[in-house]
């Protein structure tokens, strides 16, 4: 079993159910810092993307998971922070490559787009795949110049 990790997790109302499911499923391996939302009451995805961006920027966590209805809005908000490399993934292969080639530090999921098992598979890949480095290092470094 992998070592325990600490990750932040944030969502809007559309991602709340999936957030709670993931927290429960990975409770034996992850210490969660829950940045909200805390219910299905309507909120802005931008606020929670910002909370994740701030948590990464401030060094509160090194990695996190964000969820909104499609995963698009919350990932756009989080990616406004230079320290964030949020990747919207719809399957395990994307999550694997996001870590391996892009050193993604935030996994974005669409709570209305993918099923629970696919989300679990994405999180597994996000947790267990290392950044490959090598030729990818210069490309990831160049992201800071954008």
């Amino acid at each position: 079993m992998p070592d325990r990790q600490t990750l932040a997790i944030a969502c809007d109302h559309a991602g709340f159910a999936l957030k709670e499911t993931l927290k429960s499923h990975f409770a034996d391996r992850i210490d969660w810092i829950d940045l909200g939302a805390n219910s299905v009451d309507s909120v802005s995805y931008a606020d929670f993307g910002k909370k994740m961006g701030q948590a990464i920027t401030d060094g509160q966590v090194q990695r996190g998971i964000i969820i909104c209805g499609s995963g698009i809005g919350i990932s756009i908000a989080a990616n406004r922070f230079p320290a964030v490399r949020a990747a919207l993934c719809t399957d395990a292969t994307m999550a694997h490559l996001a870590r391996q080639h892009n050193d993604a530090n935030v996994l974005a999921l669409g709570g209305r787009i993918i099923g629970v098992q696919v989300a679990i598979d994405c999180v597994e890949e996000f947790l267990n795949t290392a950044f490959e480095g090598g030729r990818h290092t210069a490309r990831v470094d160049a992201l800071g110049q954008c």
Side-chain angles (χ1 to χ4, degrees):
M1 176 186 293
D3 294 334
R4 286 190 73 79
Q5 298 180 46
T6 300
L7 273 77
I9 192 165
C11 68
D12 70 357
H13 57 283
F16 178 73
L18 182 56
K19 179 188 77 154
E20 294 301 306
T21 298
L22 293 175
K23 283 173 49 182
S24 176
H25 183 84
F26 290 97
D28 63 330
R29 296 173 31 200
I30 297 175
D31 294 319
W32 294 105
I33 296 174
D34 190 335
L35 303 174
N38 298 312
S39 74
V40 295
D41 294 339
S42 185
V43 294
S44 173
Y45 57 78
D47 293 338
F48 295 94
K50 182 178 179 180
K51 286 183 179 194
M52 180 61 71
Q54 202 63 59
I56 296 286
T57 299
D58 293 346
Q60 185 178 9
V61 292
Q62 292 184 344
R63 293 200 281 170
I65 298 171
I66 51 178
I67 311 163
C68 70
S70 67
I72 297 168
I74 201 166
S75 65
I76 291 171
N79 274 324
R80 293 195 179 273
F81 289 77
V84 173
R85 291 177 306 283
L88 173 58
C89 299
T90 57
D91 63 38
T93 300
M94 290 179 75
H96 181 88
L97 292 171
R99 286 286 310 130
Q100 186 179 45
H101 291 183
N102 307 115
D103 198 20
N105 57 1
V106 176
L107 172 64
L109 300 170
R112 294 178 176 155
I113 304 298
I114 63 174
V116 170
Q117 188 57 56
V118 173
I120 289 169
D121 294 345
C122 287
V123 173
E124 287 286 354
E125 290 298 322
F126 183 71
L127 294 175
N128 297 318
T129 304
F131 177 51
E132 189 173 85
R135 71 184 190 277
H136 304 293
T137 300
R139 296 169 185 164
V140 171
D141 290 346
L143 293 172
Q145 307 303 317
C146 294

